[in-house]
Amino acid sequence: MYAPPPASDDLALFLDFDGTLVEIAETPDAIETEAALIGSLQRLITRLDGALAIVSGRPIAEIDRYLRPLNLPCAGLHGLEARLFPGMPVERAPVRPELETLKAALAGSGLLGRGVSLEDKGAALAVHFRIAPDCEPLVWQVMSEAICDLPDLHLVRGKMVVEAKPAHRDKGWALEAFMERPPFCGRTPVFVGDDITDEDGIRAAEAIGGFGIKVGEGGSLARFRLRNVADVHRWLAQDMPASLHRRKSRP
């Protein structure tokens, strides 16, 4: 069934990156950004008076590189980095000493290699297994055991990745931080994402009168769905038309 969201120009749009704006690739640096996407985002920035932000698990520096020449409001590392206004310096949460302890534990665990790799994001650590998906249970087990004595850290399960990060920020926190400031405040928040970590952003949008859009399959709190990245691109290119794939989300 097709049903429109509240169609208006007073939306505040929050977009995940991997799996939403770009296809998931075998490695994080193997993604490609389509030129047409940049044009769509530029038009939407004008239409929404700047109330468009990227909320991603990637560092903001990588978002800037892939979306060049755009310089957007961004939250990176699930909210551990934030640039609330274009052109402003990136604010970063302090790097926890527990991350170095975890990094050393992972290096000596025998987990890394054979398609499993460690990405040091500074304020977070990510273990990727995109080219070794059968290693997911082992990755989760090793990381869960490694943080048992590190209570300030928690694990975030994503698509072909498990991340360890401080627990005090997530994508919901990022959305709320943006919504307290112009040009976002007073608008209806819309969060678009494909992954488990995006549910925090969708939950926060729903809590303050907005809604979420789930990209792809799987359970979600979102009221609306788009089938894939290509559908997201078409939706953005048409300036958010009133035709989203709506269906009951599975718990």
Side-chain angles (χ1 to χ4, degrees), residues 110-111 114 116 134-145:
L111 175 67
R114 297 169 293 126
V116 178
D134 57 313
C135 290
E136 179 175 7
L138 180 60
V139 169
W140 183 262
Q141 177 186 341
V142 170
M143 293 188 72
S144 296
E145 292 173 354

Side-chain angles (χ1 to χ4, degrees), residues 16-250:
D16 174 45
F17 190 70
D18 291 270
T20 299
L21 296 182
V22 298
E23 299 284 1
I24 300 289
E26 284 193 352
T27 60
D29 59 353
I31 64 165
E32 296 182 0
T33 308
E34 294 185 11
L37 172 64
I38 305 298
S40 295
L41 294 176
Q42 287 176 320
R43 289 189 294 273
L44 283 169
I45 292 165
T46 300
R47 180 183 172 189
L48 300 176
D49 295 324
L52 183 153
I54 306 299
V55 182
S56 172
R58 286 182 181 265
I60 290 176
E62 292 186 11
I63 300 297
D64 287 346
R65 175 158 55 91
Y66 287 114
L67 293 183
R68 190 180 294 125
L70 300 181
N71 185 268
L72 300 173
C74 281
L77 303 181
H78 308 284
L80 294 173
E81 293 184 347
R83 181 175 63 216
L84 299 177
F85 301 99
M88 296 293 289
V90 174
E91 179 264 324
R92 295 177 173 85
V95 177
R96 309 288 300 186
E98 293 89 348
L99 288 168
E100 284 300 318
T101 302
L102 175 59
K103 186 176 180 181
L106 291 174
S109 69
L111 175 67
L112 305 178
R114 297 169 293 126
V116 178
S117 62
L118 175 66
E119 180 185 7
D120 187 346
K121 296 182 175 183
L125 292 175
V127 176
H128 298 274
F129 46 92
R130 294 181 184 185
I131 58 177
D134 57 313
C135 290
E136 179 175 7
L138 180 60
V139 169
W140 183 262
Q141 177 186 341
V142 170
M143 293 188 72
S144 296
E145 292 173 354
I147 69 165
C148 280
D149 296 324
L150 304 172
D152 289 336
L153 300 181
H154 80 132
L155 298 183
V156 177
R157 192 193 297 264
K159 288 184 175 178
M160 303 299 177
V161 64
V162 177
E163 296 194 39
K165 59 182 285 293
H168 62 287
R169 292 192 185 183
D170 57 27
K171 292 186 177 184
W173 175 92
L175 181 144
E176 292 167 354
F178 282 116
M179 291 299 297
E180 292 174 353
R181 297 165 173 81
F184 299 91
C185 59
R187 290 172 170 264
T188 300
V190 179
F191 195 101
V192 187
D194 71 302
D195 209 346
I196 298 170
T197 59
D198 297 313
E199 294 299 306
D200 294 318
I202 291 171
R203 184 180 296 105
E206 293 272 358
I208 54 178
F211 58 92
I213 301 173
K214 167 74 172 179
V215 181
E217 300 294 330
S220 177
L221 299 172
R223 285 185 269 163
F224 300 94
R225 288 187 185 256
L226 290 165
R227 287 180 291 260
N228 49 38
V229 170
D231 270 6
V232 175
H233 286 195
R234 282 189 285 269
W235 186 65
L236 295 175
Q238 296 171 22
D239 290 338
M240 294 174 292
S243 59
L244 289 174
H245 191 209
R246 187 177 187 178
R247 63 186 175 188
K248 185 177 181 180
S249 294
R250 297 185 296 273

